[in-house]
Amino acid sequence: MNTMYKFASPFSRPLYVMLKPIGAVCNLRCKYCYYLEKKDLYPDDRNFTMSDQVLEEFIEQYMNSQTMQQVLFTWHGGETLMRPLSFYKKALELQRKYARGRQIDNCLQTNGTLLNDDWCKFFKENNFLIGISVDGPQHCHDKYRKTKDNRPSFVSVMKGISLLKKHGVEFNIMGVVNDYNVDHPLEFYNFFKEIDCYYIQFAPIVEQIDGKPAPWSVPSEKWGDFLIAIFNEWVKKDVGTFFIQYFDSTLANWVGEKPSVCTLAKTCGHAGVMEFNGDVYSCDHFVYPKYKLGNIRKQTLTEMMYSPQQLKFGADKFDTLPTQCQTCEYLFACYGECPKNRIIKTKTGEDGLNYLCKGYYKFFNHVAPYMEFMKTELENERPPSNIMDRNLVRC
């Protein structure tokens, strides 16, 4: 039995700013994508690619703002691989130029369809962590993740994953949970286990159209059922072997540690995002004019990320919670989840309740005894994976 356990947080760093070298450009047209509409923010710039000057300014400032020996760069899109390999080689040169002896790590999020041997060799040689967007087995993935001409993308993504494995590139999975695949939790989970993905992240889709939930949004209670079904499987035999970000973060909150997923943290605003032209926003889910902090060519990253505007944005996550959340027994476990999802009213008519509240409450209520057990094990310097020896699972 694997008795090891660790809080899996490859993305958590002080003053963390994700950068978008390509902007709102992608070779896919996923039905639920919230980002491609951001092109409308820049009607006079149809190139949407980061210049070498902006790239160098970011890398210099980002390195200078860090207080730790280890510095993490996260490359996001659009589709990141629509920039040439030469762009990332230039970025590594600049990282070395400004490193001053510090360790540099890079992670890159991609849909995986453009991966080839050259990309994978580069990622392996430079120790990149690659995040792949996969929504489960083929019938789940191809429901919404299609090309511009409406062709399915699953086969291309799986070819990309095979290349990553061939070259020994470390990768994890980001699985979007929607109205369709939420009904297939165990098939979803077992698929990722079968392709040897040991770090799995879920992203529940909550989008609005004309003030109402989009049809592909995950139903709240089904979201809770989805998490519970996978948790029941995980807690029987996978604790300490497969790391699922939501479970890892829930345990972190239970023991008083900072969770690796920002949506379950008490405050937010620690993770900004920089667009291709140097504009910095409070969060990837809040790339709107109201949440623009400035531009890297006019203000420093430190000034923007520690500005009163950004500090208030972060504190508002907790400070603006409705009474129902403030009095909830599981407040410590979710803190109202992501502010972007606070789109419904409480039972008393108060604004600001999270759309996924019922699902989360159902999940936390189910996992509470297991979290208490694992918390006790950690407090007594024993591995939480001991829970797999206990007959506790309520299926």
Side-chain angles (χ1 to χ4, degrees):
M1 180 190 300
N2 188 330
T3 59
M4 298 296 291
Y5 194 86
K6 60 181 179 180
F7 291 111
S9 179
F11 304 105
S12 180
R13 296 291 188 275
L15 205 156
Y16 173 79
V17 180
M18 179 171 66
L19 68 162
K20 298 194 175 240
I22 189 62
V25 179
C26 188
N27 62 321
L28 296 186
R29 287 297 180 271
C30 303
K31 185 74 172 180
Y32 51 69
C33 182
Y34 65 90
Y35 186 65
L36 292 185
E37 67 180 27
K38 304 306 179 186
K39 283 184 178 180
D40 296 339
L41 290 172
Y42 302 102
D44 298 327
D45 191 337
R46 288 298 168 184
N47 190 22
F48 298 107
T49 55
M50 184 177 292
S51 69
D52 286 351
Q53 291 77 16
V54 171
L55 174 66
E56 181 163 8
E57 185 68 33
F58 175 86
I59 290 175
E60 181 180 11
Q61 285 197 31
Y62 193 62
M63 296 293 267
N64 290 339
S65 70
Q66 301 298 311
T67 58
M68 298 178 66
Q69 183 64 22
Q70 186 180 28
V71 181
L72 176 71
F73 285 80
T74 299
W75 307 87
H76 215 281
E79 172 46 45
T80 49
L81 301 193
M82 292 184 74
R83 293 304 308 269
L85 189 54
S86 58
F87 174 85
Y88 294 99
K89 289 181 178 179
K90 174 70 172 179
L92 294 189
E93 291 176 5
L94 291 169
Q95 288 176 350
R96 289 189 288 269
K97 176 180 177 180
Y98 295 107
R100 299 200 306 274
R102 284 173 291 186
Q103 177 185 335
I104 299 171
D105 294 315
N106 286 279
C107 60
L108 179 144
Q109 186 71 25
T110 174
N111 61 42
T113 60
L114 301 178
L115 286 167
N116 57 31
D117 284 309
D118 288 340
W119 278 113
C120 293
K121 288 176 184 176
F122 171 78
F123 292 144
K124 178 61 177 179
E125 289 169 359
N126 294 285
N127 199 34
F128 271 64
L129 168 66
I130 303 301
I132 299 284
S133 299
V134 189
D135 291 354
Q138 187 165 8
H139 71 99
C140 292
H141 179 91
D142 284 341
K143 175 70 174 178
Y144 293 121
R145 297 189 67 83
K146 296 183 178 180
T147 63
K148 291 181 181 179
D149 54 357
N150 205 38
R151 290 180 293 109
S153 64
F154 179 81
V155 172
S156 296
V157 177
M158 292 309 297
K159 287 180 180 177
I161 290 175
S162 294
L163 286 169
L164 291 173
K165 294 169 72 174
K166 169 187 170 183
H167 290 277
V169 180
E170 185 179 357
F171 71 96
N172 60 29
I173 292 292
M174 169 62 79
V176 171
V177 184
N178 52 60
D179 68 309
Y180 179 76
N181 61 9
V182 72
D183 290 326
H184 306 276
L186 294 185
E187 187 181 0
F188 183 93
Y189 179 45
N190 288 327
F191 166 76
F192 293 133
K193 291 173 64 177
E194 289 165 5
I195 64 172
D196 301 318
C197 181
Y198 294 92
Y199 292 86
I200 306 169
Q201 302 175 59
F202 304 145
I205 279 291
V206 179
E207 298 294 334
Q208 296 186 83
I209 298 177
D210 297 327
K212 296 180 180 180
W216 48 82
S217 293
V218 57
S220 179
E221 292 201 57
K222 283 190 174 184
W223 169 239
D225 294 336
F226 174 90
L227 291 174
I228 289 169
I230 295 177
F231 181 86
N232 285 347
E233 185 75 4
W234 174 79
V235 82
K236 289 178 186 177
K237 53 189 177 183
D238 294 333
V239 181
T241 302
F242 290 89
F243 295 89
I244 299 174
Q245 191 180 39
Y246 267 104
F247 303 162
D248 171 70
S249 292
T250 298
L251 180 57
N253 275 338
W254 233 270
V255 301
E257 295 283 342
K258 291 183 178 180
S260 62
V261 59
C262 60
T263 58
L264 299 186
K266 184 175 181 179
T267 61
C268 59
H270 311 295
V273 58
M274 190 183 81
E275 281 289 339
F276 67 97
N277 67 343
D279 285 347
V280 177
Y281 293 85
S282 292
C283 170
D284 187 38
H285 288 284
F286 288 85
V287 179
Y288 301 104
K290 178 181 177 181
Y291 300 99
K292 180 179 172 181
L293 301 173
N295 187 286
I296 198 170
R297 291 169 295 183
K298 297 179 180 179
Q299 298 98 7
T300 68
L301 288 173
T302 301
E303 288 172 338
M304 288 183 280
M305 291 302 295
Y306 290 102
S307 66
Q309 178 183 348
Q310 183 68 353
L311 294 175
K312 184 179 185 302
F313 173 83
D316 278 350
K317 183 180 192 295
F318 182 80
D319 293 345
T320 62
L321 284 171
T323 304
Q324 181 174 322
C325 293
Q326 295 175 22
T327 58
C328 177
E329 61 187 303
Y330 298 120
L331 171 63
F332 73 94
C334 82
Y335 296 106
E337 210 247 2
C338 184
K340 83 174 184 66
N341 296 334
R342 297 178 185 177
I343 59 176
I344 61 174
K345 294 181 181 292
T346 67
K347 294 177 181 179
T348 60
E350 195 176 355
D351 288 328
L353 185 65
N354 196 292
Y355 170 84
L356 298 172
C357 176
K358 288 184 178 179
Y360 276 115
Y361 187 91
K362 197 172 187 179
F363 169 66
F364 294 135
N365 197 53
H366 177 83
V367 304
Y370 313 115
M371 293 297 162
E372 290 293 339
F373 179 89
M374 289 190 282
K375 175 183 178 181
T376 299
E377 295 303 281
L378 282 168
E379 289 173 344
N380 288 279
E381 299 184 349
R382 297 189 297 263
S385 55
N386 285 345
I387 196 168
M388 294 186 291
D389 296 330
R390 302 293 294 264
N391 185 22
L392 294 173
V393 179
R394 300 174 291 166
C395 296

